[in-house]
Amino acid sequence: MASDFDAENKYSWYFGPLTREEANEILMAPTLESGIFLIRDSKSIRGDCVLCVREDTKVSHYIINKIQMGPPGSLPRFRIGDQEFSDIPSLLTFYKTHYLDTTSLIKPAPREKIRAKYDFPGKDLEDLPFVRGDILEVISKDEEKWWTCRNKQGQVGQIPVPYVEKYEINNHPTEEHGMVYRTPTTVNDPVVSSTTNMGNRHSALNNIKLPAKACVIQDRIPNAYDKTQLKLLKGEIITVTKMNVNGQWEGVLNDKTGIFPFTHVKFVDDQNGS
C-alpha cells in the first residue's frame, strides 16, 4: 500500500490535545488499516508531541521531543527515537518509506465531521463563519466550548461548539472519509502493506521447524517504553521460537527473549529447504 498524504499539510495530520485513549479509539476503528496515523500534543511534556500509528491490531505511541538548540530564537529540531529532523513534515516524509515498528506511514486518520445547527457570522478574525447545514471537519478540540475546524473551502478557524452537532455519514462512507487506497501491483513496491507481506511470507514458511536461526536484514530500534520488544542490528543471528500470525514473532537474541516484526529477518537458507 503506497503512502498518500501531504506532509506539509498540518491540518491533515495534527489532532491537537487528544488523550491517549481518544487517539486509540480513532485509530482502532474497524475500517482502518496499518499505517493510518495522527499527531497529538503530549500530555506529560509541554511542547512535545506524540505520533500515534495503527500497527496491525494495536496503536503505537511514539514520543516526538522538541529540542531547542543554539541561541534563543533559533529554530527547534524534533527527535523520535534515534532520528532527528528539522521539522515535523520532514519526519513524516521520512517515515513514508521507513518502518516505525511494523509499518510505514500510509495516511492520516479520518477527521470527525460536524454539521452546523445555526448560522454563525463570526465576530473575531480567528472565527470560522458558517451557515446552518454546513459540514465542517474538526481539526482540534482546543476548549470545551470552542474548537478549531475547517470548511469545504479549506478555511480554518474557531467555531462555537453549541452551534454544531455530530454528523453521521450514511452514504459512501469510504469515499467520504477518504479511505480509498492504491494497491501495489507488485510485492517489490518499496512500501507494501505489512498485512499483505505477512500472508505471503507465512504461506512460504510452513516447512520451517522451530526453533530456527534467522538473520536480521534490517536494523530496528524499538519503542523505549515497550520492554517486550527486541532491538535488532543488521547481520545479527536470532533464534526464532514462535511465528505469530499477526506478524509479531518471538525469539531470543543476545540472551534476551522478546518480540520483533517478521519483516526484519530472513531464515538461514539451510533451514528452509530452498
Side-chain angles (χ1 to χ4, degrees):
M1 182 187 300
S3 60
D4 182 21
F5 67 92
D6 180 5
E8 298 290 341
N9 182 7
K10 177 180 178 179
Y11 296 125
S12 70
W13 43 260
Y14 177 65
F15 278 61
L18 288 182
T19 65
R20 184 186 184 96
E21 291 71 26
E22 288 170 332
N24 288 346
E25 183 177 357
I26 292 171
L27 293 170
M28 287 306 294
T31 56
L32 302 188
E33 302 181 37
S34 290
I36 305 301
F37 72 96
L38 60 86
I39 287 184
R40 61 179 174 87
D41 295 334
S42 171
K43 293 289 186 180
S44 56
I45 305 177
R46 185 178 179 85
D48 286 359
C49 52
V50 184
L51 173 60
C52 308
V53 188
R54 172 74 175 262
E55 298 196 79
D56 297 323
T57 58
K58 68 174 183 176
V59 176
S60 299
H61 300 260
Y62 299 95
I63 295 292
I64 300 175
N65 298 122
K66 185 178 181 180
I67 308 165
Q68 193 65 52
M69 304 177 67
S74 59
L75 294 176
R77 294 183 66 81
F78 298 86
R79 179 182 297 152
I80 178 171
D82 60 351
Q83 299 289 339
E84 194 172 302
F85 302 90
S86 59
D87 52 37
I88 299 296
S90 297
L91 182 154
L92 297 178
T93 299
F94 178 82
Y95 284 109
K96 278 186 175 184
T97 54
H98 293 75
Y99 272 43
L100 286 148
D101 188 355
T102 62
T103 184
S104 56
L105 299 180
I106 302 300
K107 197 169 188 176
R111 292 282 183 180
E112 178 183 354
K113 293 183 185 293
I114 53 177
R115 176 165 45 200
K117 296 191 294 183
Y118 316 105
D119 293 351
F120 175 64
K123 298 179 180 179
D124 301 317
L125 289 176
E126 63 267 25
D127 290 343
L128 177 65
F130 54 78
V131 297
R132 181 181 177 183
D134 279 356
I135 306 301
L136 308 173
E137 287 185 334
V138 178
I139 299 300
S140 62
K141 299 180 179 180
D142 311 291
E143 303 175 21
E144 182 180 356
K145 300 294 185 180
W146 289 89
W147 292 351
T148 300
C149 292
R150 177 172 54 187
N151 61 21
K152 64 181 181 181
Q153 287 79 32
Q155 298 168 318
V156 175
Q158 295 280 302
I159 64 102
V161 176
Y163 280 57
V164 300
E165 62 186 354
K166 188 172 183 179
Y167 176 57
E168 297 290 349
I169 299 170
N170 296 318
N171 297 321
H172 310 296
T174 301
E175 180 179 349
E176 288 281 357
H177 281 289
M179 299 302 293
V180 179
Y181 298 121
R182 290 177 291 160
T183 303
T185 57
T186 169
V187 295
N188 291 323
D189 193 294
V191 182
V192 179
S193 164
S194 60
T195 304
T196 302
N197 275 343
M198 182 173 60
N200 293 340
R201 288 279 299 275
H202 275 291
S203 63
L205 297 174
N206 291 333
N207 295 326
I208 294 294
K209 184 177 181 180
L210 300 180
K213 301 291 185 182
C215 181
V216 177
I217 58 175
Q218 181 180 342
D219 291 349
R220 184 223 185 191
I221 306 297
N223 187 335
Y225 299 99
D226 190 345
K227 302 304 182 183
T228 67
Q229 302 285 326
L230 289 177
K231 176 182 178 180
L232 305 176
L233 296 177
K234 187 175 181 179
E236 289 183 320
I237 300 298
I238 186 171
T239 301
V240 181
T241 56
K242 187 175 182 180
M243 294 186 292
N244 297 311
V245 294
N246 65 358
Q248 291 293 300
W249 289 0
E250 299 175 26
V252 180
L253 178 63
N254 299 325
D255 296 323
K256 180 180 178 181
T257 300
I259 300 171
F260 60 94
F262 78 100
T263 51
H264 287 55
V265 302
K266 179 180 180 181
F267 282 110
V268 177
D269 286 343
D270 60 5
Q271 298 178 134
N272 60 18
S274 61

